[in-house]
Amino acid sequence: MRSLTKVINQWDKTRNTAIALVDGSVELTWGNFANRVASLASIFQARGIKQGERVAVLGQNSHRLIETLYGALWAGGVAVPLNWRLATPELIELCHDCEPTLLVVDEDFKDQAQTLAQLVPSIRSVIHQHDYESLVASGVPVSDAGRSNDDVAFLIYTGGTTGRPKGVMITHSNLIANFENCLAILPFDEKTVHLHCGALFHLSALWRVVSVTLLGGQHIVLPRFEVEPVLDAIERYQITAAAFVPTMMAALLDSPNFTQEKLSSLRAITYGTSPVSDTLLLRLMQALPACGLYQGYGMTETSPVVTLLTPNDHKPGNPRLRSCGQAVPGVEVRIADASDALLPQGTVGEIQLRGATVMKGYWQLSELTNQTLRGGWMHTGDAGYFDEQGYLYIVDRLKDMIVSGGENIYSFEVENAIASHPDVAECAVFGIPDEKWGEAVHAVVVPKANVLLDTASVSAHCRARIASYKCPKSIEVRLEPLPLSAVNKVLKASLRTKWWSGQERNIA
């Protein structure tokens, strides 16, 4: 039986006094954690949770959030971590879609919870933060409901950068397969002390909670990513593993309080979710030479890891640093054309994959599920190619490819050139309408602090590094940071809007 909750009973028996989770002043052993999860499950069942019913949770990272997710599974339900960064109308839309029976909410979101309770008929009960501890104390621990295998464990809504968010059904087996695939490569074990600072409504952060729990390791929980608390936590708790997106890594390196000594306990940093520039990666390797770096590629629909680039390939000047590594064990990846015909090595096409980590499907979207999983392959919508050693190179989202004068231009290649300019802090590249070329390459560039950016020098910098037809035809200097999604991906759709509004072909 492949169950995400069964192991909690095991750690209650064999690691009862070992520290499971630290959240500020709250410190829980595995015995404490198991008892609280089982008690919370009894409360959920008393409030109407039956097999397969949804428990939605709205709150930033905390011991309560992790307990609620496992409590939902223990009670026989499906956990739905909601994106707390969404506006209330967006949360209403998501809850109308997933129809939760129960909503667990932190104090910061009590107003949204009140609105959701009023406008979403399925919500029969709301548990607020101020009642949480008394409810856990009053609960009588119940036995694990025993959901497992192909039963849905989590309903995770995709970030919505490309349109209306979709609920992705992730099963117990999906996440255990992902754990097994990654454990063959990542240096995780029962001694792992993992920092959780990424939003747990996103699977790129949540799978690490699942994996460390399956190992009986230790969770260190921060509400959100903030530079100084992260640096302090790594030093205080002797963190051995952490996950960051490129914007986080840059912020840590730029902190005046960053030192190698503060981060000397780190043995593994995994990074991904958005492209990383060569410049930033070189800075990270130089700053943390003793820490293993692992770049991951994946998506919610694949539970999520597809490939990993290991520390052996993280060497300055290695051309494979531009790849996202090789497929993890248990995942088969291919490159295909628009007709799903296999493409030869070195040819750009759609990345397609299959394996035990592929989602059960999209919640209540059977037609989209069938289309995405047609032919037994997950169609990612990402464009990439393989080299001769099976390293996968992501060149773009298929929708982000710029077609200018019949030439295919991949935005990340241009962004990588611009990012290496000494005065550039951030950049985003996309196509804008052009009467002559169809689309023209446009760059939005954020200068470093206290720098007057010369766009002519940016253009010259690009021409020295990439073909002239790939260089931006226009450069827009932006003084505020680029807009980011809930998982710190640049929201190119919002940057494109003013250019594509009213156009017959709108790629945003």
Side-chain angles (χ1 to χ4, degrees), residues 175-197:
L175 283 167
I176 291 174
N178 178 77
F179 161 74
E180 293 168 343
N181 295 348
C182 294
L183 194 61
I185 299 171
L186 294 172
F188 290 179
D189 57 25
E190 73 279 359
K191 295 180 182 178
T192 295
V193 182
H194 202 300
L195 177 67
H196 304 295
C197 61

Side-chain angles (χ1 to χ4, degrees), residues 450-466:
N450 304 314
V451 169
L452 184 62
L453 186 64
D454 178 10
T455 58
S457 75
V458 175
S459 294
H461 187 82
C462 287
R463 287 195 299 273
R465 285 160 177 79
I466 55 177

Side-chain angles (χ1 to χ4, degrees), residues 53 85 163 216 225 263 271-272 302 506:
E53 293 193 344
R85 292 173 176 162
F225 175 83
L263 279 67
Y271 66 94
T302 58
N506 189 330

Side-chain angles (χ1 to χ4, degrees), residues 412-435:
F412 177 53
E413 187 177 5
V414 186
E415 288 165 351
N416 203 43
I418 296 173
S420 64
H421 189 288
D423 294 337
V424 171
E426 296 181 279
C427 66
V429 170
F430 49 89
I432 63 174
D434 186 275
E435 287 188 10

Side-chain angles (χ1 to χ4, degrees), residues 60 142 171 227 248 265 272 284 293 307 366 391 393 402 404 427 477 480:
Q60 296 188 40
V142 294
T171 69
V227 173
M248 294 177 180
S265 62
L284 189 65
L293 301 180
T307 69
S366 57
Y391 284 75
Y393 293 76
I402 303 164
S404 184
C427 66
V477 176
E480 63 268 22

